[in-house]
């Protein structure tokens, strides 16, 4: 079955009283909030702006994301997406984009969703961090050479005979 992690925005307002009026589906876990979606799929919602959809068809995904839209703060355009496949097997392991679990019980769904949500969130943050050194040019040149401190500090004698000013 397919799994897609989508970083939709800065935050998801999950505590919003209006979210209960969306008829998003039956909750199977609350931390993270995992809901049943469509004909056998699941959606895990994370407050840091990420949704993980497992075994959800493209039509069901579109409908779900439209209903969720008003609860996304600081939407990303386009959202960051990471796709994986999940299979049922004897061993539990991750091999590239293939995740193998023994069963699709609520705890297994929550763990897989948590891992995928963190993966897409960190990938997005890594892209942002990669842009920072470009803007540090003048400040970076003002830093001392690696392993050497500047000699602008003066040594003072305190009561113990040592001190820095």
């Amino acid at each position: 079955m397919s799994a897609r992690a989508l970083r939709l925005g800065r935050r998801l307002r999950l505590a919003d009283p209006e979210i209960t009026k969306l008829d998003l589906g039956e909750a199977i876990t609350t931390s993270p909030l995992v809901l049943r979606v469509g004909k056998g799929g699941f959606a895990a919602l994370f407050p840091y702006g990420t949704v993980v959809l497992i075994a959800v068809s493209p039509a069901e995904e579109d409908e779900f994301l439209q209903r969720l839209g008003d609860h996304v703060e600081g939407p990303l355009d386009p959202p960051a997406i990471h796709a994986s496949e999940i299979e049922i097997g004897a061993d539990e392991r991750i091999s590239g984009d293939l995740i193998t679990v023994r069963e699709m019980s609520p705890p297994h769904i929550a763990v897989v969703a948590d891992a995928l949500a963190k993966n897409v969130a960190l990938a997005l943050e890594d892209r942002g961090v990669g842009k920072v050194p470009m803007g540090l040019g003048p400040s970076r040149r003002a830093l001392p050479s690696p392993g050497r401190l500047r000699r602008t500090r003066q040594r003072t004698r305190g009561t113990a005979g040592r001190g820095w000013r």
Side-chain angles (χ1 to χ4, degrees):
M1 65 191 79
S2 67
R4 287 175 35 100
L6 297 92
R7 178 75 188 263
L8 300 175
R10 226 179 54 249
R11 298 213 36 84
L12 282 178
R13 290 189 313 269
L14 300 178
D16 188 343
E18 293 293 313
I19 204 157
T20 59
K21 296 179 184 176
L22 289 177
D23 189 31
L24 293 175
E26 176 190 346
I28 61 168
T29 68
T30 56
S31 184
L33 177 58
V34 177
L35 307 170
R36 292 191 189 279
V37 174
K39 299 175 184 168
F42 303 95
L45 289 77
F46 296 86
Y48 50 88
T50 302
V51 173
V52 176
L53 301 165
I54 299 173
V56 175
S57 73
E60 292 167 339
E61 177 179 324
D62 288 343
E63 181 184 341
F64 181 81
L65 294 177
Q66 283 180 351
R67 287 186 287 163
L68 190 62
D70 291 339
H71 298 278
V72 178
E73 292 179 12
L76 297 174
D77 189 29
I81 300 171
H82 177 80
S84 294
E85 291 293 320
I86 301 172
E87 70 176 6
I88 308 296
D91 295 329
E92 294 183 335
R93 67 178 187 278
I94 298 173
S95 178
D97 288 334
L98 179 63
I99 302 166
T100 305
V101 294
R102 287 189 201 124
E103 61 183 349
M104 286 303 292
S105 65
H108 283 87
I109 293 168
V111 168
V112 168
D114 185 59
L116 291 173
K118 288 177 180 171
N119 188 19
V120 75
L122 290 173
L124 181 67
E125 299 302 322
D126 281 347
R127 279 190 262 156
V129 169
K131 296 175 186 175
V132 171
M134 298 298 189
L136 292 177
S139 302
R140 192 175 64 219
R141 283 189 287 277
L143 295 173
S145 300
R148 304 188 79 168
L149 291 176
R150 292 184 182 203
R151 291 285 185 182
T152 58
R153 296 164 112 186
Q154 297 176 358
R155 192 168 181 97
T156 62
R157 298 224 179 246
T159 56
R162 295 187 195 116
W164 291 97
R165 186 172 53 160

